[in-house]
Amino acid sequence: MTSRHTTRPYQSYVYAYPHKTAYGDLSGHPGGRPVLSDLWAGESKDALSLYLHIPFCEVRCGFCNLFTRIGAPDELTTRYLDALDRQATAVRDALGDGEPVRFAAAAFGGGTPTFLTAGELERLCDIAEKRMGADLRSVPLSVETSPSTATADRLAVLADRGTTRISIGVQSFIDAEARAAVRPQHRVDVETALARIRDSRIPVLNIDLIYGIDGQTGRSWRTSLDAALQWRPEELYLYPLYVRPLTGLGRAGAAGAAAADAAWDEQRLRLYRAGRDHLLAHGYEQVSMRMFRRAEAPRTEGPDDYACQTDGMIGLGCGARSYTSKLHYSFDYAVEMREVRSIIDRYTATEDFSHAEVGRFTDGDEARRRHLLQSVLQAAGLRVAEYRERFGTDPAEDFPEELARFEARGWLDGGAAADGLLRLSPEGLAHSDALGPGLFSPAVRAAMAAYELK
């Protein structure tokens, strides 16, 4: 099956909007960099999300453009946790005590949080609980891990401290494909790590797999899917391979040629559809283009009163983002290893965390775009009444050209309107990585285009 249009299906994974490459230095803001206590004054704080970022990995995969570095020499993890502790203290002070501060969900990401030792993971949990006031045992807590760092002692700490979901990046159960993605691992080690995770009794296991790897076939893709299904994971994420600048694969000439090849797009679409249909046939439901959940699995998104479209995020660590209703902010962003190391070194030396460093203000139009993006890229779709209640308008009024274009391409579910929903069709979900960027504002596009890769 081929698409009915010429738009490339794999443009950008929209996991947040605006992207950090659209952020700018906030030192030019009137009065200097915004003070956190001013930013959070008047914000709703009764259903916040807390994210702690650990920017360390044992190796860097060839496809990875995340903010992370290899290794942590000279007690760098200790210095990093010291800085994280200082930042948490400053941020909690900025939130104030004028109204209750409650966290509805928490996550440790990276990098690889389980790069930390068991003792350091204890300290990380203490920072979340004792400094920020998050009750990790009573809210959903998701933690990312890797086959080489999912050790019994680390998993025991995470289970004891209330982790409800563990996500492991496997990518492929076939050793040759893992090597092709510049991810040195062996299936026997992956299986051993998965056994340890199941032994830890953490309620939700998520396994990440990647399609589009050089040399991957429909048969080998099915092999990885079936190997994952043997563990009955509560969740599976299926990611298309991307080749990004400054990554290991991005520096390889052959990978760069593949990224420009329309045949690769067709291969990824074919593998995506095969993976989707295979998981649906095995009792999984599709939550988004990437996420599939076993029908009877426990939910881990957080309580019903938390919504990522509207509630605030507190991000701690030099690769984490935070957002209020008016500003998304973080620290500087880089992919190239030397630049990443420099940013981490500056972070660990920082004493004053009371200001926002880099970010982007979100006006009414950007808030509408973010709400639409965060909702419509989910299989459940956007509830038009909720959008109307928040903004006083309908999505069709605010984004007539974009929605008409999506409808013409067959990306919208025409029958959803009767249920008060704006929802993607199966082909719309398949093309999420083209549809999402199609909703970026001209200003955000310009800022991203002007970003200097580093």
Side-chain angles (χ1 to χ4, degrees), residues 90-143:
V91 170
R92 184 59 188 85
D93 288 346
L95 293 176
D97 295 312
E99 59 183 290
V101 176
R102 184 177 72 92
F103 291 96
F108 302 158
T112 308
T114 49
F115 178 90
L116 300 178
T117 65
E120 289 171 332
L121 285 170
E122 291 275 18
R123 186 180 180 194
L124 187 69
C125 292
D126 285 345
I127 290 171
E129 292 188 330
K130 297 176 181 179
R131 293 289 185 263
M132 295 303 303
D135 186 353
L136 298 181
R137 291 181 177 86
S138 67
V139 301
L141 170 61
S142 178
V143 182

Side-chain angles (χ1 to χ4, degrees), residues 17-20 22-30 32-41 43 48 308-315 320-331 354-364 366-367 370 390:
Y17 180 81
H19 191 271
K20 286 172 74 172
Y23 289 9
D25 188 340
L26 294 171
S27 60
H29 178 68
R33 289 191 172 97
V35 178
L36 296 188
S37 57
D38 293 338
L39 287 176
W40 285 98
E43 294 284 320
L48 297 172
C308 65
Q309 297 94 328
T310 56
D311 291 309
M313 165 76 81
I314 297 292
R321 75 180 72 225
S322 301
Y323 49 77
T324 69
S325 61
K326 298 180 178 63
L327 178 71
H328 291 208
Y329 63 93
S330 183
F331 296 92
S354 63
H355 296 74
E357 298 288 329
V358 300
R360 187 171 187 87
F361 286 93
T362 54
D363 59 16
E366 297 293 15
R370 178 172 179 271
R390 182 178 179 191

Side-chain angles (χ1 to χ4, degrees), residues 9-262:
Y10 299 104
Q11 298 178 25
S12 177
Y13 171 26
V14 184
Y15 59 90
Y17 180 81
H19 191 271
K20 286 172 74 172
T21 54
Y23 289 9
D25 188 340
L26 294 171
S27 60
H29 178 68
R33 289 191 172 97
V35 178
L36 296 188
S37 57
D38 293 338
L39 287 176
W40 285 98
E43 294 284 320
S44 177
K45 308 181 188 73
D46 62 346
L48 297 172
S49 182
L50 178 64
Y51 177 78
L52 276 66
H53 181 256
I54 302 300
F56 306 112
C57 291
E58 290 192 334
V59 296
R60 188 163 194 172
C61 303
F63 51 83
C64 178
N65 70 338
L66 299 178
F67 185 90
T68 188
R69 63 160 291 165
I70 300 170
D74 303 323
E75 298 186 339
L76 180 56
T77 55
T78 298
R79 298 199 306 277
Y80 186 85
L81 290 172
D82 289 345
L84 199 68
D85 199 327
R86 294 194 299 273
Q87 185 189 8
T89 300
V91 170
R92 184 59 188 85
D93 288 346
L95 293 176
D97 295 312
E99 59 183 290
V101 176
R102 184 177 72 92
F103 291 96
F108 302 158
T112 308
T114 49
F115 178 90
L116 300 178
T117 65
E120 289 171 332
L121 285 170
E122 291 275 18
R123 186 180 180 194
L124 187 69
C125 292
D126 285 345
I127 290 171
E129 292 188 330
K130 297 176 181 179
R131 293 289 185 263
M132 295 303 303
D135 186 353
L136 298 181
R137 291 181 177 86
S138 67
V139 301
L141 170 61
S142 178
V143 182
E144 297 173 9
T145 191
S146 68
S148 62
T149 62
T151 59
D153 59 339
R154 292 173 168 109
L155 292 169
V157 168
L158 294 176
D160 180 64
R161 299 302 291 260
T163 301
T164 54
R165 177 181 183 270
I166 193 94
S167 179
I168 184 169
V170 172
Q171 319 318 347
S172 176
F173 281 84
I174 297 174
D175 291 355
E177 289 182 2
R179 287 195 300 271
V182 194
R183 184 181 178 86
Q185 67 184 28
H186 298 286
R187 179 170 176 173
V188 63
D189 298 323
V190 171
E191 302 275 5
T192 299
L194 287 167
R196 289 195 194 107
I197 291 171
R198 281 312 196 194
D199 288 344
S200 75
R201 301 190 181 279
I202 292 172
V204 173
L205 164 64
N206 172 70
I207 297 176
D208 289 345
L209 297 176
I210 284 182
Y211 53 92
I213 299 170
D214 187 33
Q216 192 175 49
T217 66
R219 178 176 293 183
S220 68
W221 177 228
R222 175 71 70 91
T223 296
S224 278
L225 290 166
D226 286 340
L229 289 172
Q230 289 294 315
W231 294 96
R232 289 186 54 78
E234 284 71 25
E235 297 174 5
L236 274 160
Y237 270 70
L238 308 185
Y239 287 95
L241 179 66
Y242 273 98
V243 175
R244 295 304 195 197
L246 304 181
T247 63
L249 290 178
R251 287 189 289 269
D261 189 350

Side-chain angles (χ1 to χ4, degrees), residues 367-435:
R368 286 174 165 83
R369 289 180 185 276
R370 178 172 179 271
H371 189 102
L372 179 60
L373 276 165
Q374 298 278 24
S375 301
V376 81
L377 292 180
Q378 302 297 307
L382 177 147
R383 294 191 176 278
V384 176
E386 291 180 2
Y387 183 98
R388 187 185 300 120
E389 181 180 357
R390 182 178 179 191
F391 299 110
T393 55
D394 282 356
E397 299 172 16
D398 295 334
F399 305 101
E401 294 181 6
E402 293 92 334
L403 294 180
R405 185 165 64 249
F406 301 157
E407 183 176 14
R409 292 172 175 169
W411 291 354
L412 300 183
D413 178 356
D419 298 323
L421 297 172
L422 177 61
R423 186 170 60 201
L424 299 185
S425 66
E427 274 302 283
L429 280 175
H431 288 80
S432 292
D433 285 8
L435 186 148

